[in-house]
Amino acid sequence: MKPFDYRSPADAATAVRIVGGDPGAVFLGGGTNLVDHLKLGVVEPGLVVGVAGLLPAEVEELGGGALRIGAGVNNSELAADPRVREWFPVLSQALLSGASGQLRNMASVGGNPLQRTRCVYFQDVTTPCNKRKPGSGCSVVGGWTRHHAILGASEHCIAVHPSDMAVALAALEARARVLGPDGERTIPFVDLHRLPGDAPDRDTVLEHGELITAIDLPAQPIARRSAYRKVRDRASYAFALVSVAAALDVADGVIVDARVAFGGVAHAPWRAYRAEEALRGAPASDRSYRAAADAELADARPAEGLDGGNAFKIPLLRRTLAATLRDLVGEDAR
Amino acid sequence: MTFPSEPDAVGRDLPRRDGAAKVLGTATYAYETPLANAAYLHAVQATIARGRVTELDTTAAEALDGVVAVLTPSSAERLASTEDRELAVLQDEEVAFRGQVVALVVADSSEVARHAAALVRVSYAQVAHDAELRADREDLYAPETVNPGLPTDTAEGDVDAAMAAAEVTVEETYTTAMYHNNPMEPHATTALWDPAGDGFLTLWDSTQGVHATRAAMASVFGLDEARVRVVCPYVGGGFGSKGQPHVNVVLAALAARAVPGRPVRLALTRQQMFSLAGYRTPTIQRCRLGADRDGTLTALAIDVVEQTSRIKEFAEQTGVPARMMYASPNRRTTHRLAALDVPVPSWMRAPGECPGMFGPEVAMDELAECLGIDPIELRIRNEPRVEPGSGKPFSTRNLVGCLREGAVRFGWSERDPRPGARRRGDWLVGTGVATSTYPVARMPKSTATIRREGDRYVAEIGAADLGTGTWTTLPQIAADALGVPVDSVDVRIGDTDYPMASVAGGSSGMTTWGSAVVEAARAFRTKYGTAPLDGDEASGTVGPPDDRYAMHAFGAQFAEAHVHRDTGEVRVPRLLGVFATGRIINPRTARSQFIGGMTMGLSMALHEKSVLDPRTGHVVNHDFAEYHITANADVDEIEAHWLPEHDPHANAMGSKGIGEIGIVGTAAAVSNAVWHACGVRVRDLPITLDKVLHALEAQSER
Ligand SMILES: Cc1cc2nc3c(=O)[nH]c(=O)nc-3n(C[C@H](O)[C@H](O)[C@H](O)COP(=O)(O)OP(=O)(O)OC[C@H]3O[C@@H](n4cnc5c(N)ncnc54)[C@H](O)[C@@H]3O)c2cc1C
C-alpha cells in the first residue's frame, strides 16, 4: 500500500474544497471498499479525506411519504428504518441481501452506490484493465466472465456494478443530492451511473470532488408492493449473479403500473423501462412476465469465457423476473 | 499395564483445554509471538507464469525509509539443498509459475515492507506457458507412485471384457475442481537467527508438524537439527496445507539470517495463499461400472487425470478408494498427470479419498437408478468379504452398519426413488446417499515422555493441535494409560524441544502419538510403579502397525437437497453422517471434526472452485469475496453420529483417525440428492445453478 495523508475536516463544505482542489484526493466513507482498494493498489491516492462523520446521519421525512436519507446513514440503520420497511420494502430487502452484518454496519449510504466493480481483473493490479488503467486493455473476455455484464457493455469493459441498494434506488425514482466545488445539484439516480462506452474508468457522472450528501426518495404508493430478489452462488454473503427490484400496481388481475430494475447484469443498475412498458396493461401472468423480460433482454449479449461464460444469466434473469413478479402479485391478486 | 478396556477419561465429552485461551485471545499464534524489535517481510511475486527474470530493480524499494533489506536471487544466500524446488527460493532467475517469489523485502513495519515490495521493478523474458488441464493432452504421464507412495495403477481381471458382457453399465466422466485449503490463519512464520557461536535458528511457525518443519529447514539451510528449533502451540487450521513447510518458512528464515539477532515476521496475504501454500489438484475421473441385473458388480474402473507442477510432483491418489470400497472381480485404477506451469499442489484434507469418492459414488447412484435398486441396497450387495486387492481381512468394517443406521435416522425408507417428484413451495426436494472411507494410518516414528512433576503427570511430545483437539485428547489417553484422573495430567506439545512426533497428517495423529503416549505410560509404570517420585520420567515409542489386517474407517452420508424451480439455486437444508471409526476419544472434539469435514464437503459440493485462468496461469478468484466457502446460511441441520466400534488392531485405544473422513462422500451425496430433486445429474463440481437451469427451462417449456 502506498502511504497517503489523512484528513477529517469539520464539515462537508471543507471536505469538498479539499478534495476538489487536489486531483490525488478521495473521500472515505465507511471504507469497506476503498480500504481494500488501497491495500490492493487498485487506487493510490495521496490524500484520503474522511467524510463518514460529517454527513447527515438521519432519515428525514419530507412529507407525504417522501424521505431524505442522509449519506452518513449506515446500511444497517437504513434497512431497519420502519418507514423504509413499510413504504419502500424493496430498498430494505436490497440492503439486507448485501454483504454481511458487519459490513452493513460500516457501509454508508453515500459509499454504497459508489463502490466499484468486483471484476477480479479490475481488482488484480497484475492484469490489464481499462477501468483501472485506461487503455491497458480488458482481461476478462475469454477469462472468468461468470459475474460479468450481458447488457450495455462495450468492447472496453464488461464489468458489472455490484451494489444491491443501487438497484432498488434505480427502481424508486430516487435522486442523489450532491455537493461539489461548484455548489449543489441533484442527479436522478438512474442517471448517476454510466455505461462503460470508451471511458470505463468513469463509473458515474460525478465530477472530481463531488460528494453525495443525501438520497431523496419521492413518495410512491406503488413501492409499497415491492420486492428485491437476489440470485447468487451461496445463500448469503455473495454478490448477485442477477437481481430484480420490482414494484407493482395490480388491479383486477391487470398490471396498472410497474417499476423494474436489474442488478448483476450491467455496468450500472439497469432500469428496465422496456419491461415496464410491456407490463403496463398486461394481465398479471407468467406469460406477461416472460414477455416483459424478453423485451428488455432483446439486446442482451452474453460474454464467452471459462466454464461456459455467462450466457446462463439470460434465462436466469427471465425466470427471476417472472418469479419476483409472481410473488409480488401473490395469490390474492391473481 | 495396558490400555484399559473400560477407559475412564477416553470417551468423555471434555471441553477443549485451549478453548478459553482462544476465546480470550491469549493463545499466541506464530505471527504474534511476543518478541521485541521485530522486522516484517513481504514477498515480491512473479507476474508471468513461465520465463526468466532479466532485471530486478530494487533501487526505489531500498531507498524507502524503514526498509531493512531486500533479497533477490543475486543477493540471497545459497541454500545447502535445492532438491525440493518448491523451497529453493531466490536461488535462480527462473520463473516456473505465476505468483512465484522473485524477491523479498524486510522492513520495520509490515506496511513499509508491502509498499517497498510493490516498488521492486521486475523485468522478464517471458516464455509461452501451459496451465490448462485437459484429459486429451498428449503429454500425460504415469507418476512412479501416487501419494503417499502407493501404486499408480492397479488391474485385476479384464475390465473391458466384463464391461462388454455386463447386463448394465455406467460409463461417465466426473470432475472435481481445484481447491485451496484456506485455513483461517494464513501461513505465518516468525524467524530468529541468533548468530552467537555457530548460530541458532528459531522458527515460530504455523505448522502441522514441528519436527517435519525442522528436518526440512535443517536440510535446506545445511544446519544440524540441534541448531534449529520449531515452536507451534496453536494452529488456526491447516487442512493439510501446513503438513509440509511451504516457501514462507524458507523466506522467513532467509530474511532472519540476513538480519541476525532480529526476529522477522511473515504472514502470507490471502491472495498469496492461492499461489504459495499448496492446493488440491482438479481431477478428471472416467468411471466405469458394470453389473448384473441383481446389482452385483462385475467391473469397476476409474481412470484419473490430474495436474502437478513442473517443478515438483504431487500425485493425488484419487483412484485409491475405488481399490477397496466394493467387491468386483474385474477392476482397474489408473492415474495420469499433466505437469503444468502452475503452483505446486499438495495435501488437502483427505487427499485421494475426498475427490476419489465423488465420481465413483455418483456412478453408484447412477447404476442404482439404471437397475431400479435402492442405492443403499446396491452398496450392501457389493460388500467385499476381505479387502479387494490385498485379500487381507478388515480389522473392522462397519460400512453396512453406517448405511443402515443412517437410513433409519434420516428416514430413508419413506423415500420415493423417482427423481423430480416432490415439491415444497417453490423448491424441488430430493435426497441422496453416498459412502465415506479413510484409511487408518500410523506413522513409523513418534516418541512421548511422561514425567512426574510434583503431584501431576506431564506428557511431552512434539505433536500438533490444528484445532483438532490434541491438547484435550492426549491427556485423556495418558490418564487412562497411567490409570489416573485426567485432571492430574498435563501435556506439552508443539515444540521440537519435546520428543520427536510425526506430522498431523493422514488422520494419523491419535493412532501415532496416542500409541507413543501409551507406551511411555507403560514404561513409566513398569519403572516406577504407582508411587513415583517427583522428576521420575520414562519414554515410549510408537510400534509398527499390525499389517495382517486391512484397516479403514467407514461412513455413510445422507443429504437433502432443494432446487429452486425458477432460479435453480441449490440449498442443502439437511446433512446426516454416520461413521464407524473405532473408539471415539472425545465426542465433543470428534463431532467437531465430523461436522467440520461434512461442512467442507458441502462447500466442495456447492461452492468452492479456484478459477485458474489458463491465459494468465493464476487463480483469479483469489480472495474470500470471490472464492466461495460455505457460510453459516448455507448450513442448516447437520448431524454426525457414530457406531460403537472398537478396533483392537488399529491401536491400543481401539480408535481410528477421524480428521478427514467427514469430507469424504459429502459432495457425491449432495449431487445424488440434487438429481433426485430435479432430475439433473451434475457430474462436474461445484453444483451451481447454471448446471441445472437448462433442465428447468426444458421442464417449463413443456
Ligand atoms: C466481502 C464483501 C462482500 C460484499 N457484498 C456486497 C453485496 O452482496 N452487495 C452489495 O451491494 N455490496 C456488497 N459489498 C460492498 C459494500 O456494500 C460496500 O463496500 C459499501 O456499501 C461501500 O460503502 P462505504 O461507505 O464503506 O464506502 P467506501 O469504501 O468508504 O467508499 C467507496 C467509494 O465511494 C466513495 N465515497 C464514499 N462516500 C462518498 C460520498 N458520500 N460521496 C462521494 N463519494 C463517496 C469513496 O471515495 C470510494 O471511492 C461487499 C463488500 C465486501 C467487502
Side-chain angles (χ1 to χ4, degrees):
Chain A
M1 164 157 57
K2 201 177 138 215
F4 54 82
D5 289 327
Y6 177 75
R7 292 179 66 179
S8 53
D11 56 58
T14 316
V16 166
R17 200 164 58 244
I18 295 171
V19 172
D22 179 349
V26 295
F27 297 118
L28 176 76
T32 60
N33 191 223
L34 183 64
V35 173
D36 281 356
H37 288 170
L38 294 172
K39 289 198 226 169
L40 295 170
V42 170
V43 287
E44 299 194 317
L47 174 65
V48 172
V49 177
V51 295
L54 49 81
L55 287 165
E58 306 82 43
V59 181
E60 200 187 320
E61 282 186 39
L62 298 180
L67 294 178
R68 172 163 298 165
I69 305 160
V73 174
N74 76 43
N75 288 190
S76 300
E77 289 162 358
L78 183 59
D81 188 288
R83 294 156 298 183
V84 173
R85 292 167 67 104
E86 197 178 329
W87 301 343
F88 307 99
V90 60
L91 178 57
S92 181
Q93 291 170 19
L95 284 159
L96 291 176
S97 77
S100 65
Q102 295 95 321
L103 284 159
R104 293 194 296 269
N105 288 344
M106 287 298 294
S108 65
V109 162
N112 185 314
L114 301 180
Q115 62 175 297
R116 310 208 62 197
T117 183
R118 306 301 296 199
C119 172
V120 293
Y121 302 92
F122 168 75
Q123 295 186 109
D124 183 340
V125 296
T126 70
T127 54
C129 168
N130 287 325
K131 181 179 279 299
R132 181 168 24 79
K133 203 168 174 206
S136 62
C138 172
S139 301
V140 188
V141 179
W144 195 40
T145 58
R146 182 175 183 79
H147 294 277
H148 286 76
I150 54 171
L151 288 167
S154 77
E155 59 184 302
H156 304 287
C157 181
I158 62 168
V160 300
H161 194 263
S163 164
D164 293 300
M165 178 181 97
V167 181
L169 292 177
L172 290 175
E173 313 284 342
R175 302 173 76 80
R177 293 172 61 85
V178 172
L179 179 65
D182 301 328
E184 276 193 275
R185 62 170 175 147
T186 42
I187 305 172
F189 199 83
V190 284
D191 297 333
L192 179 65
H193 295 88
R194 296 177 65 257
L195 292 181
D198 59 3
D201 55 311
R202 295 196 55 200
D203 292 353
T204 68
V205 300
L206 292 181
E207 299 296 334
H208 181 74
E210 284 194 312
L211 179 71
I212 296 182
T213 55
I215 304 275
D216 283 355
L217 282 180
Q220 284 158 95
I222 189 175
R224 285 174 178 257
R225 188 196 290 245
S226 66
Y228 189 72
R229 177 73 160 99
K230 176 175 178 180
V231 180
R232 46 186 153 177
D233 274 335
R234 64 182 163 191
S236 73
Y237 208 17
F239 289 92
L241 291 167
V242 305
S243 68
V244 171
L248 271 189
D249 181 1
V250 186
D252 303 327
V254 173
I255 298 166
V256 179
D257 199 4
R259 300 263 189 289
V260 179
F262 297 152
V265 291
H267 194 260
W270 189 269
R271 178 71 180 264
Y273 290 113
R274 287 200 237 172
E276 292 176 6
E277 186 57 44
L279 289 169
R280 250 172 243 126
S285 69
D286 262 40
R287 180 191 278 265
S288 309
Y289 309 150
R290 282 163 178 267
D294 287 339
E296 195 65 49
L297 289 168
D299 298 333
R301 288 243 309 272
E304 282 173 24
L306 300 173
D307 303 331
N310 69 0
F312 72 92
K313 282 191 176 186
I314 294 175
L316 179 61
L317 184 54
R318 192 188 314 122
R319 300 173 70 85
T320 306
L321 177 65
T324 312
L325 297 178
R326 198 192 305 130
D327 284 352
L328 266 183
V329 170
E331 296 300 329
D332 58 303
R334 236 172 245 179
Chain B
M1 72 179 274
T2 52
F3 200 79
S5 58
E6 302 277 323
D8 174 54
V10 161
R12 270 166 61 190
D13 182 14
L14 300 179
R16 287 173 191 270
R17 290 192 167 190
D18 51 337
K22 284 182 174 170
V23 171
L24 293 169
T26 55
T28 47
Y29 290 83
Y31 187 76
E32 47 191 27
T33 308
L35 292 167
N37 192 31
Y40 296 81
L41 192 169
H42 200 86
V44 180
Q45 295 175 274
T47 56
I48 62 165
R50 184 166 183 172
R52 269 169 36 79
V53 172
T54 52
E55 205 196 326
L56 266 163
D57 181 356
T58 60
T59 331
E62 271 161 330
L64 208 64
D65 224 19
V67 169
V68 179
V70 179
L71 298 186
T72 67
S74 46
S75 60
E77 70 170 292
R78 294 305 92 186
L79 296 170
S81 166
T82 54
E83 203 184 321
D84 183 336
R85 290 182 64 198
E86 182 188 357
L87 301 182
V89 63
L90 304 187
Q91 300 302 294
D92 59 38
E93 277 74 26
E94 201 198 318
V95 174
F97 61 89
R98 189 171 173 128
Q100 183 184 320
V101 176
V102 295
L104 69 81
V105 177
V106 185
D108 290 336
S109 73
S110 65
E111 291 82 1
V112 170
R114 191 166 179 168
H115 180 210
L119 294 178
V120 174
R121 293 248 304 279
V122 191
S123 313
Y124 303 95
Q126 194 171 349
V127 177
H129 67 264
D130 184 351
E132 191 170 9
L133 177 67
R134 293 188 324 271
D136 62 355
R137 291 179 65 103
E138 311 244 295
D139 61 349
L140 299 175
Y141 73 97
E144 251 169 55
T145 59
V146 295
N147 180 61
L150 301 169
T152 300
D153 296 348
T154 60
E156 278 168 77
D158 184 340
V159 166
D160 293 336
M163 286 294 287
E167 287 173 324
V168 181
T169 60
V170 169
E171 182 168 351
E172 293 291 350
T173 297
Y174 305 84
T175 65
T176 59
M178 180 184 198
Y179 306 107
H180 279 78
N181 314 53
N182 272 320
M184 202 155 31
E185 180 200 22
H187 288 59
T189 312
T190 299
L192 176 63
W193 175 250
D194 177 354
D198 289 338
F200 191 92
L201 180 65
T202 308
L203 296 164
W204 293 267
D205 183 46
S206 181
T207 172
Q208 295 172 221
V210 287
H211 286 93
T213 297
R214 179 173 73 173
M217 289 306 105
S219 143
V220 163
F221 286 92
L223 298 168
D224 196 85
E225 284 198 13
R227 285 163 57 205
V228 183
R229 180 179 173 201
V230 180
V231 185
C232 180
Y234 307 107
V235 186
F239 308 116
S241 70
K242 295 171 182 171
Q244 312 171 76
H246 292 292
V247 76
N248 58 294
V249 193
V250 184
L251 289 173
L254 269 177
R257 281 158 64 87
V259 293
R262 196 162 174 196
V264 175
R265 300 191 198 277
L266 166 63
L268 296 186
T269 65
R270 188 56 67 185
Q271 284 85 356
Q272 290 174 334
M273 297 278 289
F274 284 82
S275 38
L276 299 177
Y279 62 92
R280 194 194 309 280
T281 172
T283 72
I284 304 169
Q285 313 171 10
R286 177 172 170 244
C287 295
R288 287 180 291 163
L289 296 177
D292 294 345
R293 270 267 146 238
D294 71 354
T296 306
L297 286 172
T298 55
L300 191 166
I302 180 168
D303 296 295
V304 179
V305 174
E306 47 197 18
Q307 78 190 33
T308 185
S309 72
R310 204 157 48 79
I311 56 166
K312 181 174 173 180
E313 181 182 280
F314 177 78
E316 177 125 2
Q317 69 273 35
T318 305
V320 164
R323 293 175 183 169
M324 49 59 70
M325 209 51 204
Y326 302 112
S328 173
N330 302 290
R331 184 189 311 264
R332 161 191 153 104
T333 67
T334 68
H335 296 85
R336 296 294 176 267
L337 298 185
L340 303 177
D341 302 308
V342 294
V344 184
S346 182
W347 301 335
M348 178 163 167
R349 202 174 200 168
E353 278 73 20
C354 171
M357 288 291 277
F358 176 66
E361 283 300 294
V362 177
M364 284 296 274
D365 204 64
E366 301 203 43
L367 182 64
E369 176 196 350
C370 294
L371 290 164
I373 296 178
D374 180 82
I376 292 180
E377 184 54 33
L378 177 66
R379 288 172 171 90
I380 292 173
R381 284 187 198 172
N382 289 289
E383 238 333 73
R385 238 176 4 85
V386 293
E387 186 185 51
S390 75
K392 289 181 190 176
F394 288 100
S395 57
T396 45
R397 175 172 169 127
N398 280 311
L399 176 65
V400 172
C402 292
L403 285 163
R404 293 218 160 106
E405 172 86 9
V408 171
R409 289 182 178 271
F410 193 75
W412 188 261
S413 63
E414 290 131 47
R415 182 179 190 257
D416 173 349
R418 291 171 305 148
R422 289 143 308 273
R423 215 169 106 176
R424 206 171 301 155
D426 287 331
W427 297 88
L428 310 172
V429 176
T431 52
V433 65
T435 58
S436 312
T437 187
Y438 198 79
V440 175
R442 171 188 289 245
M443 300 290 184
K445 280 198 216 154
S446 271
T447 300
T449 295
I450 288 184
R451 191 182 316 112
R452 181 77 167 168
E453 289 189 10
D455 60 355
R456 302 187 64 74
Y457 294 88
V458 176
E460 290 179 345
I461 179 166
D465 186 336
L466 35 151
T468 41
T470 313
W471 279 113
T472 314
T473 50
L474 271 187
Q476 293 179 267
I477 294 171
D480 283 343
L482 287 164
V484 299
V486 67
D487 295 341
S488 64
V489 178
D490 297 322
V491 298
R492 296 186 189 134
I493 61 172
D495 193 327
T496 50
D497 278 359
Y498 305 136
M500 188 276 166
S502 56
V503 66
S507 298
S508 66
M510 280 304 106
T511 291
T512 311
W513 313 325
S515 297
V517 165
V518 171
E519 289 306 320
R522 191 200 313 270
F524 186 92
R525 285 294 186 229
T526 308
K527 224 163 150 184
Y528 307 110
T530 48
L533 302 176
D534 189 26
D536 285 349
E537 73 170 54
S539 294
T541 292
V542 63
D546 183 348
D547 52 19
R548 292 169 302 169
Y549 295 94
M551 293 190 257
H552 303 267
F554 293 93
Q557 299 200 25
F558 295 76
E560 179 176 327
H562 291 186
V563 177
H564 195 279
R565 65 169 171 131
D566 291 303
T567 62
E569 291 159 289
V570 179
R571 302 278 187 266
V572 177
R574 189 168 178 220
L575 274 180
L576 185 146
V578 179
F579 301 92
T581 55
R583 178 179 266 153
I584 294 298
I585 311 277
N586 180 330
R588 183 181 306 221
T589 52
R591 176 168 283 110
S592 158
Q593 286 300 304
F594 289 133
I595 66 173
M598 291 164 71
T599 305
M600 208 164 171
L602 174 65
S603 200
M604 168 186 181
L606 300 185
H607 302 126
E608 288 186 49
K609 172 170 180 143
S610 305
V611 180
L612 188 123
D613 187 334
R615 303 167 312 160
T616 60
H618 79 302
V619 172
V620 292
N621 59 337
H622 52 192
D623 62 43
F624 281 179
E626 326 297 334
Y627 180 95
H628 286 169
I629 296 169
T630 287
N632 282 329
D634 299 295
V635 186
D636 199 346
E637 263 181 63
I638 181 164
E639 290 173 53
H641 305 276
W642 46 87
L643 301 181
E645 190 182 82
H646 177 257
D647 191 323
H649 309 293
N651 55 48
M653 297 77 69
S655 67
K656 297 173 179 175
I658 57 166
E660 296 171 86
I661 191 169
I663 195 179
V664 178
T666 324
V670 171
S671 177
N672 296 340
V674 166
W675 167 78
H676 189 230
C678 70
V680 183
R681 282 286 172 197
V682 181
R683 301 187 181 93
D684 304 294
L685 293 177
I687 306 166
T688 47
L689 57 86
D690 47 301
K691 294 174 187 166
V692 299
L693 201 61
H694 59 91
L696 302 176
E697 276 282 275
Q699 283 165 18
S700 41
E701 310 284 83
R702 263 184 257 138

